[in-house]
Amino acid sequence: MLTVENLHVYYGAIHAIQGISFSVRQGEIVTLIGANGAGKSTILKTISGLLRPRGGKIILEGEEISTLAPHQIVARGISQVPEGRRVFPELSVMENLELGAYQRKGKEHMDELKRVFTLFPRLKERRNQRAGTLSGGEQQMLAIGRGLMAKPRLLLLDEPSMGLAPLLVKEIFSIIREINAAGTTILLVEQNANMALSIAQTGYVLETGEIALSGPAGELTRNEEVRKAYLGL
Amino acid sequence: MSQLLQQLVNGLSLGSIYALIALGYTMVYGIIRLINFAHGDIYMVGAFVGYFALRGGLPLPFAFFLAMIIPALFGLVIEFFAYRPLRNAPRIAALITAIGVSLFLENLGILVLSPDPRPFPQVLPDKSIISYGDVNVSLTQFLMIVITLALMVLLTLFVHYTKTGKAMRAVSQDREAAQLMGININRIISVTFVIGSALAGAAGVLVGLYIPRIEPLMGVMYGLKAFVAAVIGGIGIIPGAMLGGVLMGLAETLVTGFLASTWRDAIAFGLLILILLIKPSGIFGTSSRTKV
């Protein structure tokens, strides 16, 4: 579905992504794990069009998308739930969700709204509340819900577990699995390698801008290096 | 007492002009964090469009409409050619460009229109429509206040209840996240310039009717004071610009009426100094930390 080929991204003079290739197959959960600063978020920002790669290709179902603007990429079915949730704090929960469906016409998004409220009943209770007044966990639910409102075929998730209590992390991850089971392909970036590998089919381990290891998630979980460096075992 | 009431009426009229101009400053700042110094000159453009339309014999409502549309086009074009190429440049570059655009419009005005002040066609009968003792509200003042109020209500409804309005608020809160929602931010920024410039154009005609002299440099002082009004209310906050503008108008007329007219400009900038000392984020502003 999505193929990234020999991607190079710079932040000013810093060569943040140094020739990365990976692919995401339809229906999969793929995870990119790695330490802080390994370049995980940079990759997602580049796929979404917020950053321009200096070299390489990003191909979505045969179409090169790395030269498109962010709104054109959303139109092609890729949504991102950014790191740190980034909900619009002064807007209500409902307005945040409506903006998630910004490119959809008329009342097309009503089905998604129903679905989001089923996945996250808390958001329904708080739909008129300002998003900035929600707790961290609720904001993460809102960020994911907002991402689903565009009815994406590929959902990019950047550190959904960040700053959440372990119980909430579990809840969020089971919802991610549910979203995937309903047909949305997922590319998940995580520092919490343990949780990420537990729901993913394929994993890539990123180290300072390069892919150090890759393989089926189950194999990575058993890999000695991964266990030491990322799983704390 | 009746003099105080009369000055309040005058202040409210003048304040509505400041408020209309201040809205453009604040909306543009809210969305791209740029103080658009050319905005005062857009207001001048509006006044001259109104002038030529009325001189050409067009009825007032039509002249008014044109005086909103043509400045709106100016705003659109200026944003596209002057500010858009600097979207990812340091903010100071865009700021200096704004000053350049302002000087360009002023000198273009002097060149094309001559620097001499012109009398604005007085198409409204000079009569008061509300009289209460010694207090009079002229038809012009009444229209200024009513039209300003109507435009503010429309703007508020637009920003809160339309899809584009919600997108504007989203872009001003978090541009990157707004892009991830599929919002074409260039389009939203264009819309913001169009609306702000149209409001300034409306102010240009209203001021022509009220103080019937217009000249190419008229935007300098009004623009500056409207900018101060926007800062007083809290730059980037729409109700703040409305309140700041009205306060500015009231302060000026009260000082003119009860002290001396020579103090008028001093009070405007005195207010700026005061607000910067007491509450730099403005009346409606919340002190925000710069995120790293």
Side-chain angles (χ1 to χ4, degrees):
Chain A
M1 178 179 208
L2 182 83
T3 311
V4 172
E5 278 175 29
N6 195 25
L7 193 70
H8 288 267
V9 186
Y10 286 75
Y11 269 122
I14 301 160
H15 196 174
I17 300 297
Q18 307 169 3
I20 277 180
S21 304
F22 66 92
S23 59
V24 179
R25 279 188 301 270
Q26 177 93 41
E28 257 190 327
I29 299 182
V30 173
T31 184
L32 303 175
I33 57 176
N36 222 343
K40 306 182 303 288
S41 296
T42 306
I43 294 175
L44 292 196
K45 282 188 177 180
T46 311
I47 295 173
S48 281
L50 294 174
L51 295 173
R52 287 260 169 274
R54 193 80 69 85
K57 285 180 180 164
I58 302 171
I59 295 158
L60 177 73
E61 290 165 343
E63 185 192 10
E64 161 75 306
I65 59 166
S66 65
T67 53
L68 298 180
H71 67 272
Q72 296 170 311
I73 289 169
V74 173
R76 279 161 180 72
I78 301 183
S79 284
Q80 185 185 150
V81 179
E83 184 179 358
R85 334 192 216 288
R86 306 282 286 270
V87 296
F88 303 109
E90 305 292 326
L91 300 184
S92 70
V93 167
M94 197 61 195
E95 287 171 326
N96 267 276
L97 292 173
E98 286 166 1
L99 282 166
Y102 183 75
Q103 295 195 349
R104 311 192 61 202
K105 307 257 176 292
K107 300 277 166 204
E108 266 176 29
H109 62 277
M110 291 318 276
D111 287 346
E112 265 65 50
L113 188 65
K114 229 176 263 166
R115 178 170 168 226
V116 168
F117 282 158
T118 316
L119 282 172
F120 307 108
R122 290 285 273 285
L123 296 182
K124 189 173 186 179
E125 288 165 29
R126 307 196 166 213
R127 61 184 177 276
N128 296 319
Q129 206 168 313
R130 277 194 322 121
T133 64
L134 299 179
S135 73
E138 289 162 346
Q139 287 190 14
Q140 187 62 61
M141 295 173 188
L142 177 56
I144 295 174
R146 191 179 64 172
L148 288 175
M149 291 297 288
K151 205 176 181 185
R153 289 177 297 147
L154 173 62
L155 186 65
L156 313 177
L157 292 165
D158 197 349
E159 304 271 8
S161 77
M162 196 171 78
L164 300 185
L167 212 63
L168 257 158
V169 173
K170 264 198 160 152
E171 191 183 332
I172 295 280
F173 271 76
S174 85
I175 284 167
I176 295 171
R177 205 188 300 214
E178 221 174 294
I179 292 167
N180 175 248
T184 310
T185 310
I186 287 173
L187 176 57
L188 168 69
V189 152
E190 258 301 340
Q191 275 191 62
N192 187 339
N194 212 346
M195 287 302 292
L197 289 173
S198 76
I199 64 167
Q201 282 91 50
T202 312
Y204 293 84
V205 180
L206 230 68
E207 271 167 19
T208 57
E210 288 172 279
I211 286 173
L213 272 173
S214 65
E219 258 173 50
L220 286 179
T221 317
R222 287 188 298 273
N223 181 297
E224 209 43 51
E225 281 172 64
V226 175
R227 288 170 69 93
K228 266 198 205 132
Y230 300 103
L231 302 178
L233 300 171
Chain B
M1 184 63 201
S2 66
Q3 206 206 335
L4 178 66
L5 278 175
Q6 184 63 54
Q7 292 302 347
L8 287 179
V9 171
N10 298 349
L12 215 54
S13 315
L14 185 64
S16 46
I17 300 292
Y18 288 140
L20 282 179
I21 308 174
L23 281 168
Y25 276 109
T26 229
M27 288 169 70
V28 165
Y29 184 85
I31 245 156
I32 54 171
R33 303 289 182 268
L34 166 73
I35 294 165
N36 178 19
F37 279 113
H39 190 60
D41 303 300
I42 294 288
Y43 148 84
M44 175 270 290
V45 170
F48 273 94
V49 171
Y51 169 86
F52 286 113
L54 290 173
R55 285 279 302 266
L58 291 177
L60 183 59
F62 196 65
F64 194 82
F65 180 69
L66 270 185
M68 290 181 77
I69 296 293
I70 292 176
L73 290 176
F74 268 70
L76 189 72
V77 169
I78 289 169
E79 190 279 320
F80 187 82
F81 286 106
Y83 304 142
R84 188 167 298 184
L86 298 171
R87 190 79 83 229
N88 297 313
R91 272 163 63 184
I92 190 78
L95 194 70
I96 293 167
T97 305
I99 296 172
V101 173
S102 169
L103 291 172
F104 172 76
L105 288 176
E106 286 160 17
N107 289 289
L108 187 73
I110 289 173
L111 190 72
V112 177
L113 305 164
S114 97
D116 303 324
R118 299 168 189 235
F120 198 87
Q122 291 307 289
V123 290
L124 292 174
D126 183 19
K127 63 169 189 193
S128 44
I129 58 161
I130 303 171
S131 288
Y132 179 78
D134 290 338
V135 183
N136 291 301
V137 181
S138 73
L139 178 59
T140 310
Q141 289 179 321
F142 179 76
L143 278 181
M144 285 165 85
I145 295 169
V146 168
I147 290 176
T148 301
L149 266 178
L151 290 174
M152 283 177 175
V153 169
L154 282 177
L155 178 69
T156 306
L157 292 176
F158 176 80
V159 166
H160 278 93
Y161 298 109
T162 67
K163 204 166 180 175
T164 306
K166 285 173 194 173
M168 279 171 73
R169 286 188 289 151
V171 174
S172 85
Q173 286 171 41
D174 189 334
R175 188 198 291 191
E176 217 175 60
Q179 286 177 288
L180 292 177
M181 301 302 107
I183 295 169
N184 180 351
I185 56 162
N186 280 333
R187 202 188 133 258
I188 297 299
I189 292 168
S190 294
V191 170
T192 307
F193 271 84
V194 162
I195 294 174
S197 304
L199 295 175
V205 176
L206 292 176
V207 100
L209 294 170
Y210 190 50
I211 306 165
R213 258 162 60 96
I214 61 169
E215 40 127 357
L217 295 183
M218 65 188 282
V220 179
M221 205 35 122
Y222 272 86
L224 212 50
K225 285 182 185 165
F227 166 62
V228 171
V231 173
I232 289 173
I235 189 111
I237 303 164
I238 286 175
M242 298 174 181
L243 181 69
V246 170
L247 283 179
M248 177 70 85
L250 286 173
E252 266 196 40
T253 45
L254 291 178
V255 165
T256 311
F258 292 103
L259 281 170
S261 60
T262 43
W263 283 73
R264 202 183 57 197
D265 293 349
I267 197 73
F269 299 108
L271 273 178
L272 176 64
I273 294 172
L274 200 68
I275 198 85
L276 290 179
L277 285 174
I278 302 171
K279 197 162 185 292
S281 54
I283 295 171
F284 287 147
T286 46
S287 51
S288 63
R289 293 156 294 151
T290 308
K291 282 179 218 144
V292 276

